[in-house]
Amino acid sequence: MIGLFLGDTDFSEIVLKKIKKLDKKYFIIDFSKNNKFKKDKNSHRISIGRFGEIINLIKEKKSKKVLFAGKIVKPKLSSLRLDLKGFYYMPSVIKAAKLGDAAIIKAVIKILDNENIKVISSIFFNPELTVKTGNYTKSKPNLDDIISIQKGIVYFNKLNSLDHVQAVIVKENTILASEDRHGTKKMLSKLKKKSRGILIKLPKKKQDLRMDLPTIGLNTLRDCKKYGLKGIVLKSKKNIFLDKSKCITYANKNKIFINVI
């Protein structure tokens, strides 16, 4: 029996679909904003503040492993209803929330670990959503692009693991923009049209790779075209790549490279 903490993203639905295809026994703890999985008979809507209820459910289901697919957003303290374990654990979550979403995830993992519940990789059942090293399009980065990409990698390696940044735009050895808590789409919207920059989406150097892997999909490629980007750079086996074949076809059509390092 596997426990699934699911959020609002397309990735959440893809993970659930794969679990069903594999005929795995599962239950859902629905962390989506609008109770997205309420029609599933195995779904449970539980507030993040009710740790006792969450942990009791996991143990009642005799589950030793859980998986997170979708972000845990910063909770609104005014709307939280805490149970006894919630009162015990919530201070650590509140403290983490001041540092960002990644810190919240680390705090929740630590809480589950304290209860002898193992958190497995979000792509444990969906390894096909990752990509290996190589160039996946007809277009390729030139020598100047490679120098700019190296600049972006150095930038990533200097980041704190709790920072929001999972994406930067580089051009001519310069960081044009970096992602904040509002995400990649918002970052791209600040660019000028025909920017000719390169989008680099990588996990941070010390990021917990069990959750919140940087993700791209067809909407990312469309935004790249809209703002005139030359290409996208990903990390081997450490990104979630949705609609892979459609993205590659779209990239080829619009002369955008997809390079995996």
Side-chain angles (χ1 to χ4, degrees):
M1 178 76 74
I2 182 77
L4 306 175
F5 287 77
L6 300 183
D8 290 292
T9 64
D10 292 340
F11 176 54
S12 300
E13 295 187 34
I14 291 169
V15 169
L16 180 58
K17 185 177 179 180
K18 184 65 175 289
I19 291 286
K20 290 179 177 179
K21 184 178 180 180
L22 294 172
D23 200 27
K24 297 285 185 180
K25 292 183 178 180
Y26 69 93
F27 63 96
I28 298 168
I29 297 174
D30 187 348
F31 276 171
S32 66
K33 289 182 180 179
N34 299 308
N35 203 0
K36 186 174 184 177
F37 302 96
K38 62 184 177 182
K39 292 183 180 179
D40 192 303
K41 65 180 182 180
N42 298 311
S43 183
H44 304 264
R45 183 73 166 177
I46 307 175
S47 164
I48 192 174
R50 302 189 66 80
F51 283 112
E53 191 174 343
I54 290 171
I55 291 163
N56 286 341
L57 174 64
I58 294 171
K59 292 183 177 180
E60 177 189 310
K61 298 291 185 180
K62 297 181 180 179
S63 176
K64 295 286 186 180
K65 297 177 181 179
V66 296
L67 176 155
F68 285 78
K71 290 185 178 180
I72 298 177
V73 296
K74 185 182 293 186
K76 292 183 179 180
L77 302 181
S78 59
S79 63
L80 284 178
R81 294 182 178 181
L82 306 179
D83 57 16
L84 191 59
K85 281 199 174 180
F87 277 110
Y88 179 74
Y89 283 125
M90 190 49 64
S92 65
V93 176
I94 293 171
K95 183 179 179 181
K98 295 177 182 178
L99 300 173
D101 293 347
I104 296 174
I105 290 171
K106 283 181 176 288
V108 173
I109 287 179
K110 188 173 180 179
I111 290 166
L112 293 173
D113 186 57
N114 287 342
E115 299 288 340
N116 296 314
I117 298 165
K118 183 180 179 182
V119 178
I120 63 174
S121 168
S122 60
I123 54 172
F124 185 87
F125 295 103
N126 296 82
E128 73 279 0
L129 295 180
T130 64
V131 279
K132 297 179 181 179
T133 303
N135 200 81
Y136 285 76
T137 49
K138 295 175 183 176
S139 298
K140 298 179 180 180
N142 60 32
L143 183 58
D144 289 338
D145 295 333
I146 291 170
I147 293 171
S148 293
I149 291 166
Q150 288 299 321
K151 174 82 172 184
I153 293 169
V154 170
Y155 178 83
F156 269 102
N157 287 339
K158 291 180 180 178
L159 291 174
N160 185 297
S161 63
L162 301 180
D163 287 341
H164 299 283
V165 182
Q166 285 189 320
V168 298
I169 306 293
V170 295
K171 179 185 179 183
E172 296 175 354
N173 205 25
T174 301
I175 306 293
L176 290 184
S178 62
E179 185 181 59
D180 60 19
R181 67 172 66 247
H182 300 294
T184 303
K185 190 176 185 71
K186 185 69 174 179
M187 174 189 68
L188 289 170
S189 70
K190 297 176 183 178
L191 295 175
K192 295 179 180 179
K193 300 292 177 69
K194 298 181 181 180
S195 69
R196 302 302 290 162
I198 299 166
L199 170 63
I200 304 177
K201 288 210 71 167
L202 304 178
K204 295 175 285 293
K205 189 175 181 179
K206 296 181 181 179
Q207 181 173 335
D208 192 318
L209 298 176
R210 289 174 288 181
M211 302 190 217
D212 194 25
L213 291 179
T215 301
I216 72 161
L218 199 52
N219 286 335
T220 313
L221 268 295
R222 288 170 178 153
D223 285 336
C224 287
K225 178 190 176 185
K226 181 177 180 180
Y227 296 102
L229 267 64
K230 292 182 67 176
I232 299 174
V233 176
L234 308 174
K235 183 72 171 176
S236 176
K237 299 182 180 179
K238 293 181 180 178
N239 286 81
I240 294 170
F241 195 168
L242 305 176
D243 298 315
K244 195 181 304 179
S245 60
K246 290 181 181 179
C247 285
I248 292 170
T249 298
Y250 186 91
N252 282 330
K253 181 179 178 181
N254 292 284
K255 298 180 180 179
I256 299 168
F257 68 74
I258 299 174
N259 189 261
V260 182
I261 57 176

